Amino acid sequence: MGKSKGNKNKDKDAYAGPIKSGRRESDSDDSEGSAFTYNEDMQSIMGDVEDMDDVYDQLVDNLERAQNKNATTRLDGLHRVNLALRAKNVPEFIGRNKETMMSVAARMGNKTDSEAHLLATLVGLVAVQAGEEISDLIAEPMSQMRTILMDASRCVSLRTTCANSLAIVTRICCSEDDQVSANAKACRFAWANTKVSGSANDDGHAKLVATSLAAWCIITLDADFQTINEAVADQPKIVTILSSNQLEARLAAAETLAFLHEFMQDTRPGFRFPNKEHVLDLLDGMMNDCSKKKTKKDKRAQRYAVRDIRAFIADEDDAPEVSVKIGSQTLSLDSCGIKMFYDMTCDLLHGGLAQQLLTNEVLREVFDLGPVPLESEGTVNKQTRLAVHDAADKHRNQVRGKQRDKRSAVY
């Protein structure tokens, strides 16, 4: 999720990801690898797809293949539809086919884990492009995702994807209190009933806990008073996850505690959790962790992530802020809630997030980026610039070739 620390002397492209603002301590430079907000390269999810232009041109055909009776054909069709929706905003296609896609996704409960994984992803992808237009189509897909999320016999990565899509769909499309409450309970069940072992190979369950916690937080933003009160009552249980054997679960718990602190301060000014001093002591322990059972890399990442959270919960500083460059604009993630939602959108869209934020009206509204900017007439797209550059190179090489011919003819 963060940048790897390779050879620092090796030439590399400038980092274009989120820029963290706030204090700079002595270990900041060594903690670059612990930035958990990311834009993953689209190449990592393309599989055997070589030409994205074909994927865009064949969207309708691939949606038909996604409904084929042959399982292999369906999986390939779904993969290509998801790939296109991740990389590009296609409102006309979504408008014409949203009912079909939601109908297909509503059958995910009876599908294999691999196909259900693609269908749960599809629900989230349609939501971030259609917005409230699918509010009357999401009840059954959400019900299916809740059932899968609470079923310990299903694949862990599938359950994680369901939690992520549930949060995004709830935040963007869902306005029914009973459905919001049901989604929150499903996510709460997942993080509260998933055991995370200390094995290095068991990062899947830690990811499920982390994603379910974040999804639970995002859903709580739109929940009724009863769900909010239940969230407050669960705070001590979240505190216990700070002692998890897995780094990702520990950091997710810390971020969730920061979210609850922020949320309750906004909804009930002056509210204070009774165990605040105990939480601060635990966060101090995480910052100064000297355990030999944890790697230096994990302890460094933990220290870097927890220090700002600790200062925020102690009311010594504002919420940790992150800035992301989006074209000519800067997206400021200045609250715990919006930062969590950005991370979940990253998980859904991978490398397509930057392009979506430029043209996707639904996401631009969520992140308060304003209307889609009009492209100036003087703007030349990348393909045109490359074509001009190649033509200039060709002409220059031809001129130089003629000059070399003339020089070689002189005796």
Side-chain angles (χ1 to χ4, degrees), residues 294-323:
K294 300 182 179 72
T295 66
K296 290 183 178 179
K297 180 180 178 181
D298 281 359
K299 287 186 284 188
R300 187 164 56 242
Q302 181 170 281
R303 180 172 64 249
Y304 177 75
V306 167
R307 64 181 183 186
D308 289 334
I309 291 175
R310 195 266 180 211
F312 176 56
I313 293 178
D315 298 316
E316 298 172 354
D317 204 349
D318 295 332
E321 184 175 346
V322 174
S323 297

Side-chain angles (χ1 to χ4, degrees), residues 277 279-289 306 310:
E277 295 303 322
V279 171
L280 293 176
D281 289 341
L282 291 176
L283 294 176
D284 284 335
M286 292 175 70
M287 290 172 59
N288 301 303
D289 194 345
V306 167
R310 195 266 180 211

Side-chain angles (χ1 to χ4, degrees), residues 328-382:
S328 60
Q329 294 180 283
T330 299
L331 170 60
S332 178
L333 307 175
D334 55 1
S335 73
C336 299
I338 198 66
K339 168 69 165 54
M340 282 182 170
F341 189 78
Y342 178 86
D343 285 347
M344 302 194 85
T345 310
C346 282
D347 278 336
L348 176 70
L349 295 175
H350 295 273
L353 178 59
Q355 182 63 33
Q356 290 274 4
L357 285 174
L358 289 174
T359 60
N360 186 314
E361 293 181 357
V362 174
L363 287 179
R364 289 183 67 84
E365 182 177 353
V366 170
F367 291 109
D368 199 22
L369 287 170
V372 176
L374 297 176
E375 187 176 356
S376 63
E377 294 181 2
T379 301
V380 183
N381 63 40
K382 183 177 180 181

Side-chain angles (χ1 to χ4, degrees), residues 141-154:
M142 288 196 304
S143 175
Q144 295 287 327
M145 289 191 289
R146 289 195 298 266
T147 300
I148 293 172
L149 177 57
M150 294 188 290
D151 186 351
S153 68
R154 301 302 293 262

Side-chain angles (χ1 to χ4, degrees), residues 218-273:
I218 295 302
I219 294 170
T220 301
L221 290 171
D222 299 302
D224 54 24
F225 287 116
Q226 181 179 348
T227 302
I228 293 173
N229 289 333
E230 290 171 354
V232 173
D234 277 329
Q235 189 260 9
K237 187 172 183 65
I238 296 167
V239 173
T240 64
I241 304 178
L242 292 175
S243 303
S244 171
N245 292 318
Q246 292 283 354
L247 173 66
E248 188 168 9
R250 294 195 300 273
L251 296 187
E255 291 172 356
T256 300
L257 292 172
F259 168 85
L260 289 174
H261 174 77
E262 177 184 72
F263 182 68
M264 296 309 297
Q265 288 294 317
D266 290 341
T267 55
R268 304 177 192 174
F271 180 89
R272 174 190 173 97
F273 282 104

Side-chain angles (χ1 to χ4, degrees), residues 17 50 54 79 82 108 122 203 239 242 306 334 371 376 385 401:
E50 297 180 358
D54 291 341
H79 171 65
N82 287 354
M108 73 176 77
L122 178 64
D203 56 350
V239 173
L242 292 175
V306 167
D334 55 1
S376 63
R385 291 200 308 272

